[in-house]
């Protein structure tokens, strides 16, 4: 179930001004997503309580994230991946069950690009990452990012003057990943992040459509001055990120 959430924007009863209609710091609207057995009030609230949820920066990316101790390397080839993942582990939002073996947990990650429409196709995916976080014995926070599927150097790019995209990408990605630096005595959390190929930011789409050229001051007017502001970032990579899976030592 996809649930929408937007930024400030312009109130419905107000006239949309000429130029960029929102602050540069805002995204046009993200999505909160719930994995539930059915689209009913009870099922949705149960899913929220167990935190089996993820969010996106806007696209309808579909992603799964599971953690367990006995996932096989061929999970991504399985036609019943989700059933096996639930049976042998926990989904996003869960806590890994106790395991005294000292071995590292395994994680299953999968993602499908936004299907889009004929008029507005979805953007290909570039990669999936696992973000690991922990606090050391001195109370210092740490974080490490692992690329686990896809290709961060796939050569995908976007022309900011036309917002035309180019380069290869993936319609789907899947991986079974194991933490190479796992410490069985250290509490940690893991979450997944799915990243699309580069595209124009909403503001840059408007700047390009209105033919703003920051090297030509005569084109920068009528509310489009922020197109050339230092804080303007014309290129983004839309994404999805999951609730964490937690690991806690047995003692």
């Amino acid at each position: 179930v996809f649930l929408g959430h937007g930024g400030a924007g312009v109130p419905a009863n107000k006239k949309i001004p000429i130029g960029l209609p929102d602050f540069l710091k805002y995204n046009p609207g993200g999505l909160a997503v719930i994995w539930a057995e059915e689209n009913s009030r009870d099922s949705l609230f149960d899913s929220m309580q167990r935190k089996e949820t993820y969010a996106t920066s806007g696209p309808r990316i579909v992603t799964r994230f599971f953690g367990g101790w006995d996932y096989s390397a061929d999970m991504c080839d399985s036609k019943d991946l989700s059933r096996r993942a639930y049976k042998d582990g926990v989904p996003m939002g869960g806590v890994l069950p106790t395991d005294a073996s000292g071995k590292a947990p395994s994680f299953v990650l999968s993602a499908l690009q936004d299907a889009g429409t004929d008029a507005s196709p979805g953007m290909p995916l570039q990669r999936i990452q696992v973000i690991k976080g922990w606090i050391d014995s001195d109370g210092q926070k740490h974080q490490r990012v692992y690329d686990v599927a896809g290709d961060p150097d796939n050569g995908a790019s976007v022309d900011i003057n036309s917002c035309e995209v180019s380069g290869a990408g993936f319609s789907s990605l899947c991986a079974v990943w194991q933490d190479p630096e796992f410490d069985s005595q250290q509490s940690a959390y893991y979450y997944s992040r799915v990243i699309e190929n580069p595209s124009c930011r909403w503001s840059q789409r408007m700047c390009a459509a209105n033919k703003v050229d920051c090297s030509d001051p005569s084109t920068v007017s009528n509310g489009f001055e922020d197109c050339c502001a230092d804080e303007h970032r014309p290129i983004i990579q839309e994404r999805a990120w999951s609730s964490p899976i937690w690991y806690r030592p047995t003692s």
Side-chain angles (χ1 to χ4, degrees), residues 29-95:
L31 296 172
V33 189
I34 301 171
W35 280 112
E37 294 85 356
E38 60 184 25
N39 190 10
S40 66
R41 182 184 294 270
D42 288 344
S43 185
L44 294 176
F45 274 94
D46 285 346
S47 296
M48 284 188 277
Q49 286 184 325
R50 66 175 181 264
K51 305 180 184 67
E52 195 172 351
T53 60
Y54 69 95
T56 87
S57 57
R60 291 176 175 263
I61 297 168
V62 178
T63 187
R64 308 301 301 254
F65 181 49
F66 297 92
W69 301 103
D70 297 304
Y71 289 147
S72 60
D74 66 351
M75 286 282 284
C76 287
D77 299 322
S78 175
K79 293 183 179 179
D80 58 350
L81 183 151
S82 295
R83 183 191 64 79
R84 290 176 59 185
Y86 278 114
K87 178 178 177 292
D88 297 329
V90 297
M92 59 182 77
V95 178

Side-chain angles (χ1 to χ4, degrees), residues 39-230:
N39 190 10
S40 66
R41 182 184 294 270
D42 288 344
S43 185
L44 294 176
F45 274 94
D46 285 346
S47 296
M48 284 188 277
Q49 286 184 325
R50 66 175 181 264
K51 305 180 184 67
E52 195 172 351
T53 60
Y54 69 95
T56 87
S57 57
R60 291 176 175 263
I61 297 168
V62 178
T63 187
R64 308 301 301 254
F65 181 49
F66 297 92
W69 301 103
D70 297 304
Y71 289 147
S72 60
D74 66 351
M75 286 282 284
C76 287
D77 299 322
S78 175
K79 293 183 179 179
D80 58 350
L81 183 151
S82 295
R83 183 191 64 79
R84 290 176 59 185
Y86 278 114
K87 178 178 177 292
D88 297 329
V90 297
M92 59 182 77
V95 178
L96 285 166
T98 300
D99 182 88
S101 68
K103 65 181 179 181
S106 296
F107 298 90
V108 179
L109 308 94
S110 68
L112 299 174
Q113 75 170 67
D114 184 337
T117 65
D118 290 340
S120 181
M123 180 66 62
L125 306 177
Q126 186 185 73
R127 64 192 188 273
I128 304 180
Q129 299 174 318
V130 171
I131 294 85
K132 176 186 178 181
W134 71 97
I135 299 176
D136 66 22
S137 57
D138 295 325
Q140 299 297 309
K141 297 179 181 178
H142 298 272
Q143 188 179 87
R144 189 155 296 156
V145 180
Y146 299 90
D147 288 320
V148 301
D151 182 6
D153 299 315
N154 64 353
S157 63
V158 56
D159 182 341
I160 63 171
N161 295 312
S162 65
C163 290
E164 291 291 327
V165 296
S166 61
F170 302 89
S171 60
S172 65
L173 290 169
C174 186
V176 179
W177 176 81
Q178 197 168 35
D179 182 357
E181 300 180 32
F182 178 69
D183 180 352
S184 63
Q185 300 304 308
Q186 175 68 63
S187 293
Y189 65 84
Y190 303 82
Y191 69 93
S192 66
R193 183 164 63 198
V194 184
I195 300 178
E196 287 186 349
N197 279 349
S199 59
C200 274
R201 198 168 185 274
W202 68 267
S203 50
Q204 183 58 28
R205 292 182 186 278
M206 296 187 69
C207 298
N210 285 274
K211 302 187 183 305
V212 174
D213 180 354
C214 293
S215 65
D216 181 359
S218 68
T219 68
V220 186
S221 61
N222 295 327
F224 289 97
E225 292 80 5
D226 279 347
C227 294
C228 304
D230 289 340

